[in-house]
């Protein structure tokens, strides 16, 4: 049978497992525990000899349905969902790495991931931050104890694009875990598996959920990394097929020890939201391109950062890798303009910190999400005091353009 399209597969995924009463949505199952008529079956579930549910921190049917959906979208082999994107990142790295290991990470990172990597450094895991737009900087940073390379697809807020393909080849040659945060692009614009990613992070809070009404995160194993050579896997998790060792350890140690489990109600919101992912993101990307193009021509704006503009340093790479150029762009206002006055003059565009919402949101980044980082690190990341980041939504473009005209007048 021909492979079905992204939307068809996504929309029909809940029905694949014959859900109860033929319902079209996987129901919300709030039960924390599961009863067994035969106590032996309960024991077998614990021992991994029988499929089944035992306790809500590690498994829940509503969450399982969402995990399967993400696995399909990313064309991976397994997914574990968490309560937030940060929970997915922290639980995964804490369960796979140990003191004395080393990570090479892009220096252009989501602020909280940057903060978490600081926590890892305090726990004895070395982290080297490099300019990942060139694979040679990653290569130069690799040490004997390097275990993992971490990059994002489109970095926030300056929109640098890592050399995803070359870094993937490098990780394959050096046998390193290649962890790609796909939040900004989502599996709709880009499949990290196509560049050799081992593990994929998605903050479900953003485009996949899309409605700003539920937090969630996921880690997907693409099946490309050979875990049989990875020394940090506990003996107990070496019983299954080697391709499942990594994700099993993330589930057993990450989810069980840290306990940042996704709740069933949130899983339902995220799954329902994900049904329209491709429609929403296409419209948001069209709007972002139109707004960024408008801003580039306006003298009151000093600089525009958007991969869809021909002037963007990685424009060509973005065109080769991604279906569209994403729905995030940032601007530096001309010197004399105050970013707060500019934002307050907007009408439809909301000053808010989230991204990937249906609504267009804007934030003065140096004063908010990158405030704690301090001026030096901000400067090294190219973040100016007048920078405003836009997460473009699905409103009519004329209404968004009218906001810019008014705010710049
Ligand atoms: C938001 C975000 C995260 C964290 O997701 P939460 O669900 O907010 O914890 C991680 N990576 C990127 C690129 C993000 O934008």
């Amino acid at each position: 049978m021909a492979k079905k399209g992204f939307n068809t597969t996504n929309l029909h995924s809940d029905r694949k497992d014959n859900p109860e009463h033929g319902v079209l949505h996987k129901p919300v199952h709030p039960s924390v525990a599961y009863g067994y008529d035969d106590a032996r079956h309960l024991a077998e579930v614990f021992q991994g000899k029988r499929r089944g549910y035992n306790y809500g921190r590690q498994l829940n049917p509503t969450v399982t349905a969402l995990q399967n959906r993400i696995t399909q979208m990313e064309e991976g082999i397994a997914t574990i969902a968490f309560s937030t994107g940060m929970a997915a990142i922290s639980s995964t790295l804490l369960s796979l790495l140990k003191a004395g290991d080393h990570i090479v990470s892009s220096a252009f990172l989501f602020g909280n991931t940057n903060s978490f990597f600081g926590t890892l450094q305090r726990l004895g895991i070395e982290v080297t931050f490099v300019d990942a737009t060139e694979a040679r900087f990653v290569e130069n940073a690799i040490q004997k104890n390097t275990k993992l390379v971490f990059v994002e697809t489109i970095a926030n807020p300056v929109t640098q694009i890592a050399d995803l393909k070359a870094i993937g080849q490098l990780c394959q040659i050096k046998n390193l875990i290649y962890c790609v945060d796909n939040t900004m692009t989502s599996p709709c614009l880009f499949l990290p598996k196509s560049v050799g990613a081992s593990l994929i992070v998605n903050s479900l809070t953003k485009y996949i959920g899309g409605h700003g009404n539920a937090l969630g995160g996921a880690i997907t194993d693409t099946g490309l990394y050979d875990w049989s050579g990875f020394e940090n896997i506990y003996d107990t998790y070496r019983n299954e097929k080697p391709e499942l060792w990594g994700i099993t350890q993330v589930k057993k140690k990450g989810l069980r020890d840290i306990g940042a489990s996704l709740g069933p109600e949130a899983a339902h919101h995220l799954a329902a939201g994900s049904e329209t992912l491709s429609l929403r993101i296409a419209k948001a990307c069209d709007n972002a391109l139109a707004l960024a193009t408008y801003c580039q021509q306006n003298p009151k704006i000093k600089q525009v950062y958007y991969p869809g503009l021909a002037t963007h340093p990685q424009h060509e790479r973005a065109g080769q890798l991604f279906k569209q150029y994403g729905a995030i762009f940032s601007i530096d206002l001309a010197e004399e303009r105050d970013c707060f006055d500019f934002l307050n003059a907007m009408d439809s565009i909301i000053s808010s910190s989230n991204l990937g919402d249906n609504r267009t949101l804007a934030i003065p980044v140096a004063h908010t999400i990158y405030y704690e980082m301090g001026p030096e690190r901000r400067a090294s990341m190219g973040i100016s005091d007048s920078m405003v980041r836009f997460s473009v939504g699905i409103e009519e473009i004329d209404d968004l353009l009218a906001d810019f005209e008014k705010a710049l007048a």
Side-chain angles (χ1 to χ4, degrees), residues 149 151 164-173 176-180 190-200 221-226 321:
V149 174
V151 297
L164 293 159
K165 206 168 162 189
I167 297 171
Q169 287 161 351
L170 181 67
C171 288
Q172 199 195 359
I173 293 165
L176 300 173
I177 300 168
Y178 186 25
C179 188
V180 178
F190 176 59
L191 290 179
K193 187 178 180 178
S194 69
V195 294
S198 330
L199 296 174
I200 304 166
D221 191 320
T222 61
L224 296 180
Y225 184 74
D226 179 10
L321 291 170

Side-chain angles (χ1 to χ4, degrees), residues 82-89 109-113 150 152-156 181-184 201-207 214-217 353-355 389:
F82 293 87
S83 56
T84 64
M86 281 316 302
I89 294 171
L109 272 188
F110 176 64
N112 296 168
T113 305
F150 190 98
E152 296 177 0
T153 52
I154 303 177
N156 187 2
D181 185 335
N182 198 26
T183 300
M184 287 293 190
V201 174
N202 278 290
S203 166
L204 307 176
T205 318
K206 311 292 174 53
Y207 294 101
L215 293 156
S353 70
N354 192 19
L355 61 88
R389 181 196 75 195

Side-chain angles (χ1 to χ4, degrees), residues 46-68:
F46 266 87
Q47 293 162 17
K49 293 173 186 157
R50 172 184 282 271
R51 286 171 76 90
Y53 293 89
N54 49 13
Y55 186 62
R57 179 156 23 81
Q58 280 174 86
L59 267 188
N60 170 285
T62 315
V63 176
T64 304
L66 176 65
Q67 290 176 166
N68 292 341

